Amino acid sequence: MGTSMRCPPEFSSPPTIISLEKKCTCCLLHPTASKSSPCFSSSLVVDLIRMGVVGPPKILFQVHSSSRKTDSKKKWSEWVKAMACNKTFIQKWNQAGINDAILVASIATDIRIDQQTVEALFGFWCSVTNTFIFPWGEAAFTPEDVHVLTALPLRGSHLDQKLTADQQELKNRLIVESEKILVLSKEAQRMGMVTSDIWLDWFINEDNIDDELRHLGFLTYWLCKDVFPSENQTLASLFGVAVRLSLGDRISLAPALVANIYHDLNIITESIVSNHRKKDKGSGGIFKASPSFGFLQCWIWERFETLRPITSDLKFQQRVRISRWSGSQIKTQYNKALEIFEDERSFTWRPYSCRLHNWVEPEWYNMESRVVTIEAEKTPAYVYDFLSLISCTSLKGLSFDGRVFSEKYHPDRFARQFGFDQSIPGDFQNFNYLSNSIVGVQLCIPGITKHGNLRIEYIKWWKTYRKSYKETLREKFMPKGAMEKGLDEVGKNGNMENHKAVLTDKNIDTSKKRKAEELEKHRSVIKQEHRKTHTPQFYSDKELNVINIDSDDEENKIVCDAAPSGFPRESKTHSNEKNELGLVKELEDFQHLGLMTYEELNPEIEESNNVASTKCEDPYGQEAIEHYPNFFRHIPQNPHYKELLKGKKIAEDVKKQIFLGQWYMLVDLMKEALRTNDKTIAAEVERLLEKARMLEKNGFNVRHLIARLKLVHRKH
């Protein structure tokens, strides 16, 4: 075993590797590491929203079906208990390092998203560094957070490791069983696929399944539900991982889950920014977020105490802290969440230092800082676990279609999360902490209660970065000569603790007189620039960087005025066509995101804050709304049916079927319209337009439908 000693006083602000630094310059940060450029981030979404460059995004947070349905929860809980009675299975789970994660999985996965809080957090994500860049520094969701929350293993074999011949045979058994389900299950035939719920029912109820195959089916479902949760996840993509786990192969699942969350954050962030490039400034877009964002919600609650719901610490189960938050719920306003995120005093750098009931800490946690000498095979496993947390590396994730991808992991940018002092981060390089070159190296493991500080060189570097970042934003997004208050200010004494972003709702004067004066000042500047260039341009308050926040509005929504008077405006025809194109794009987004997919009704589905329920006063359309909840939430309807029956006396049950049929017809027409193109005959387009006009006469909102058909009609 490696020798261990208390960390001497001179290492109160240690680099990670105390001796032989030249051998390990990528393990966290060393003052001797090459310095990265101050301008390391792209434009943050939170700043683009404030400047009016993009609109706030709409995030649809998915929830795995087993977390919504009481029946599925109960079946899964009973299945876990039944499988845990098999000593062979328990032995394999322990070998694979997933025993604790599985045993608590049946009770600790009901995480309810605080929607506006997570949407606010999205704005600080930087896809260049894979970190949240707050005004006071960087922070990140890490494998340590996943390990503490779920007990998933930190280290192990890679996701894309090639299967042996024996493992491939076991995988083939799952493939055959999946095809068998598709043929014999009526529900699978109707759906045209094997969903996770169908999989669960099959493996619980089917008698002609041996223990080996049932174990494989169990692990596949667990991976789909708790490790790689996604409504789009194909079960077949998890067969290989399930096979390896069933044989006791330890796989680095915690880093994989982190990589998946980084990947989803990057996709959403880049999509929001791309709306700016497409000049689509009115909307940040509509996006589906994976159920794995429930883990990110737990990260927020662990580290931002002000945003936490009230919960009982008695919920703890062994080493799995996620049970603390299961079933908890709170709702926070977007602007309030922004204010909290921008105040470093709200952030807890080492939340897991708090000893709580029935929770076993990871082995590298210790009250005192220690120095451990790495001695090859004699070094305890927990030392390598800790090394994996503080080493720059590429984390491998698994997409819903089975593709393995990599995401960069930069612990040198948030060293304080591990108890180290924060120095200037170096250029990213993969570091192999299992290499023989680190044998004999001394590693400092900070005490669990130790909080790192900012080094002087880092404070100077950070000020340089923030100054450069603000200048870049001015050049890219602000009219020449326009005045701004700035995005944030660093404390005058070099202490970043008290610095906050300036452009928050409480820093903006909301009186009508003040807003009018500032608006007129900006308009005057733009008019002068317009006269100089003699180039026809179109302006809006978003382009002028004027952010009008109505402080009396309950949800603090950003409200933008119309384009300034005295400027060229778009012609009415051109403006209408532009609006119609926007409606068409929105409709196409609905289809792409699956909002027009028929959903089965289940009376046992519990109401969750993740999916907003859609209520309708219309007594006839509620059934359709329940089958297409997201679609009718984004395109609400309020029909009057005046032209449908025209005073005819019809039995109420017949009337109900006729009126309900109109709701379904609307969805069907939308789908038909999306299938049309320039090759569709004009007569077919006219037929669909005629049906759309009939629905419009009965009070239905068909703007998206007509816009799509008119677009095709103009091409003929």
Side-chain angles (χ1 to χ4, degrees):
M1 179 180 291
T3 58
S4 177
M5 65 187 84
R6 290 185 59 179
C7 188
E10 59 265 34
F11 297 129
S12 58
S13 301
T16 306
I17 303 299
I18 295 180
S19 63
L20 303 179
E21 287 184 344
K22 293 182 180 180
K23 293 185 179 181
C24 302
T25 57
C26 300
C27 193
L28 258 184
L29 173 73
H30 303 275
T32 56
S34 61
K35 306 300 186 290
S36 60
S37 170
C39 292
F40 56 76
S41 79
S42 57
S43 303
L44 300 181
V45 170
V46 66
D47 295 324
L48 298 182
I49 292 174
R50 283 172 172 160
M51 298 178 73
V53 177
V54 298
K58 297 178 182 179
I59 310 296
L60 302 178
F61 293 99
Q62 297 176 317
V63 182
H64 196 277
S65 59
S66 64
S67 297
R68 296 195 306 261
K69 300 178 181 179
T70 303
D71 185 50
S72 294
K73 285 182 182 180
K74 184 178 179 180
K75 290 177 182 178
W76 170 239
S77 179
E78 292 175 351
W79 198 12
V80 171
K81 293 176 182 177
M83 298 296 284
C85 294
N86 189 311
K87 293 182 179 180
T88 302
F89 296 162
I90 291 292
Q91 181 184 7
K92 296 299 183 183
W93 297 350
N94 281 319
Q95 289 178 13
I98 59 176
N99 185 58
D100 288 338
I102 288 178
L103 293 181
V104 81
S106 61
I107 61 173
T109 54
D110 185 16
I111 305 302
R112 303 178 183 182
I113 300 290
D114 182 359
Q115 174 138 350
Q116 293 193 36
T117 294
V118 180
E119 287 178 344
L121 183 65
F122 275 20
F124 297 98
W125 180 255
C126 175
S127 57
V128 176
T129 62
N130 280 353
T131 60
F132 295 108
I133 301 182
F134 299 106
W136 38 265
E138 294 180 77
F141 181 72
T142 73
E144 179 187 42
D145 297 298
V146 174
H147 179 70
V148 170
L149 289 169
T150 67
L152 291 173
L154 288 167
R155 296 180 300 114
S157 55
H158 294 303
L159 284 171
D160 54 355
Q161 179 174 294
K162 188 176 180 180
L163 298 181
T164 65
D166 291 340
Q167 290 172 343
Q168 186 61 48
E169 286 185 12
L170 292 176
K171 180 179 178 181
N172 290 339
R173 291 200 68 188
L174 282 172
I175 294 173
V176 170
E177 195 67 18
S178 178
E179 293 174 350
K180 181 179 176 182
I181 297 172
L182 192 58
V183 172
L184 299 181
S185 170
K186 293 182 179 180
E187 187 68 14
Q189 289 177 358
R190 190 182 66 81
M191 297 287 292
M193 62 183 295
V194 180
T195 65
S196 58
D197 284 338
I198 295 172
W199 186 271
L200 175 67
D201 289 335
W202 179 269
F203 276 91
I204 288 178
N205 300 322
E206 182 62 29
D207 295 328
N208 298 323
I209 297 179
D210 57 56
D211 286 349
E212 180 184 68
L213 182 57
R214 200 179 301 276
H215 187 209
L216 292 170
F218 173 86
L219 291 174
T220 301
Y221 183 82
W222 171 69
L223 288 168
C224 177
K225 175 182 176 294
D226 290 323
V227 184
F228 303 106
S230 171
E231 289 296 297
N232 299 321
Q233 188 75 44
T234 56
L235 292 166
S237 66
L238 303 173
F239 288 169
V241 179
V243 166
R244 290 162 57 194
L245 291 174
S246 73
L247 299 175
D249 184 11
R250 183 181 290 260
I251 303 173
S252 51
L253 294 177
L257 196 155
V258 173
N260 277 24
I261 290 179
Y262 285 4
H263 188 66
D264 289 348
L265 282 168
N266 287 335
I267 289 176
I268 294 175
T269 301
E270 290 297 330
S271 298
I272 295 172
V273 174
S274 69
N275 284 344
H276 156 66
R277 301 191 186 105
K278 296 175 182 177
K279 307 301 180 183
D280 184 9
K281 301 184 180 182
S283 170
I286 302 173
F287 307 94
K288 273 190 177 182
S290 164
S292 61
F293 277 85
F295 299 112
L296 191 61
Q297 177 67 79
C298 293
W299 180 85
I300 295 173
W301 288 338
E302 288 282 359
R303 295 187 178 272
F304 292 90
E305 186 174 354
T306 314
L307 295 171
R308 292 177 186 171
I310 299 175
T311 185
S312 171
D313 293 338
L314 297 178
K315 292 181 180 180
F316 280 0
Q317 301 290 327
Q318 300 176 15
R319 288 173 49 224
V320 184
R321 280 179 74 118
I322 196 173
S323 55
R324 180 187 189 189
W325 308 112
S326 182
S328 299
Q329 188 171 358
I330 191 173
K331 292 186 178 180
T332 308
Q333 292 297 320
Y334 181 87
N335 284 344
K336 179 63 176 177
L338 280 182
E339 181 181 341
I340 293 172
F341 287 141
E342 290 172 337
D343 185 356
E344 185 179 4
R345 292 170 296 183
S346 301
F347 186 77
T348 304
W349 285 102
R350 309 204 73 189
Y352 311 126
S353 62
C354 180
R355 293 182 180 273
L356 298 167
H357 176 76
N358 202 31
W359 180 59
V360 180
E361 300 166 342
E363 292 182 78
W364 64 85
Y365 283 11
N366 195 293
M367 292 302 294
E368 300 292 337
S369 296
R370 293 170 290 169
V371 176
V372 178
T373 301
I374 299 176
E375 298 179 358
E377 296 179 358
K378 296 181 180 180
T379 304
Y382 75 83
V383 174
Y384 288 105
D385 283 342
F386 185 70
L387 271 171
S388 72
L389 296 176
I390 62 176
S391 300
C392 290
T393 186
S394 293
L395 307 179
K396 291 191 175 182
L398 185 69
S399 67
F400 68 88
D401 58 358
R403 178 177 54 87
V404 175
F405 57 86
S406 297
E407 290 289 347
K408 292 181 179 179
Y409 174 61
H410 294 268
D412 53 336
R413 295 191 174 276
F414 42 87
R416 287 185 287 174
Q417 287 186 214
F418 304 105
F420 294 100
D421 289 352
Q422 183 64 59
S423 297
I424 304 173
D427 296 328
F428 180 84
Q429 298 178 48
N430 271 313
F431 172 69
N432 182 7
Y433 58 86
L434 297 177
S435 170
N436 291 331
S437 63
I438 67 172
V439 174
V441 170
Q442 290 183 309
L443 171 70
C444 177
I445 303 179
I448 186 59
T449 59
K450 183 184 181 302
H451 291 70
N453 299 309
L454 296 174
R455 292 192 175 186
I456 298 299
E457 67 269 19
Y458 178 83
I459 295 176
K460 295 178 181 178
W461 176 83
W462 182 259
K463 287 182 178 180
T464 303
Y465 154 67
R466 295 303 293 181
K467 181 179 179 181
S468 177
Y469 174 69
K470 288 188 290 183
E471 290 174 351
T472 301
L473 283 181
R474 289 191 191 99
E475 293 172 1
K476 291 180 66 175
F477 303 116
M478 293 189 62
K480 185 177 179 181
M483 299 181 66
E484 67 157 350
K485 294 183 178 180
L487 295 170
D488 62 310
E489 296 294 340
V490 179
K492 295 182 179 179
N493 298 324
N495 183 356
M496 298 170 62
E497 179 178 301
N498 297 321
H499 108 202
K500 298 181 182 180
V502 172
L503 278 182
T504 58
D505 53 333
K506 69 176 184 178
N507 299 116
I508 300 176
D509 189 344
T510 56
S511 67
K512 293 183 179 180
K513 181 178 179 180
R514 178 65 174 170
K515 288 194 289 186
E517 290 175 354
E518 291 188 355
L519 179 59
E520 187 59 37
K521 184 187 295 184
H522 285 295
R523 286 173 176 169
S524 177
V525 172
I526 296 301
K527 285 179 182 179
Q528 293 175 12
E529 294 300 319
H530 175 67
R531 294 190 188 103
K532 292 178 183 178
T533 60
H534 301 287
T535 303
Q537 299 181 48
F538 299 100
Y539 297 90
S540 69
D541 285 353
K542 293 180 179 179
E543 292 170 295
L544 298 174
N545 192 35
V546 178
I547 302 176
N548 300 323
I549 297 181
D550 185 356
S551 60
D552 296 327
D553 185 7
E554 182 181 349
E555 296 185 359
N556 294 318
K557 296 180 180 177
I558 296 178
V559 182
C560 296
D561 296 332
S565 58
F567 280 81
R569 295 178 182 268
E570 297 173 277
S571 67
K572 185 174 182 180
T573 302
H574 181 75
S575 178
N576 287 341
E577 290 182 2
K578 186 176 180 181
N579 290 337
E580 288 175 355
L581 287 174
L583 292 172
V584 172
K585 180 181 180 299
E586 199 169 55
L587 184 61
E588 291 171 348
D589 286 343
F590 291 162
Q591 184 187 45
H592 177 70
L593 293 170
L595 304 189
M596 300 173 68
T597 303
Y598 182 87
E599 296 186 11
E600 284 294 327
L601 294 179
N602 190 320
E604 296 180 339
I605 292 181
E606 295 181 347
E607 184 176 355
S608 168
N609 66 311
N610 300 334
V611 182
S613 58
T614 306
K615 299 295 182 182
C616 178
E617 295 180 359
D618 189 295
Y620 308 107
Q622 191 60 39
E623 180 185 316
I625 291 174
E626 290 171 354
H627 283 299
Y628 297 96
N630 289 315
F631 176 74
F632 285 117
R633 178 155 58 92
H634 290 286
I635 307 182
Q637 304 293 328
N638 188 24
H640 49 68
Y641 312 107
K642 291 181 180 178
E643 298 296 319
L644 197 57
L645 299 179
K646 294 185 177 180
K648 296 180 180 178
K649 293 184 179 180
I650 299 178
E652 184 62 28
D653 57 338
V654 177
K655 182 190 298 185
K656 179 179 180 180
Q657 293 301 319
I658 294 175
F659 290 172
L660 177 60
Q662 298 292 294
W663 288 76
Y664 287 121
M665 181 189 294
L666 173 62
V667 179
D668 290 339
L669 283 176
M670 294 278 192
K671 294 178 180 179
E672 285 189 65
L674 287 168
R675 288 194 291 267
T676 60
N677 51 46
D678 52 358
K679 296 181 180 180
T680 306
I681 60 174
E684 175 64 13
V685 178
E686 290 290 349
R687 182 184 70 83
L688 295 175
L689 268 172
E690 184 179 354
K691 287 189 174 183
R693 295 298 185 190
M694 286 299 298
L695 287 174
E696 187 177 38
K697 290 180 180 179
N698 287 297
F700 283 92
N701 177 2
V702 293
R703 293 186 305 143
H704 296 77
L705 173 58
I706 291 179
R708 179 66 173 80
L709 294 172
K710 287 173 67 175
L711 178 65
V712 178
H713 191 268
R714 282 195 292 268
K715 294 179 180 180
H716 284 84

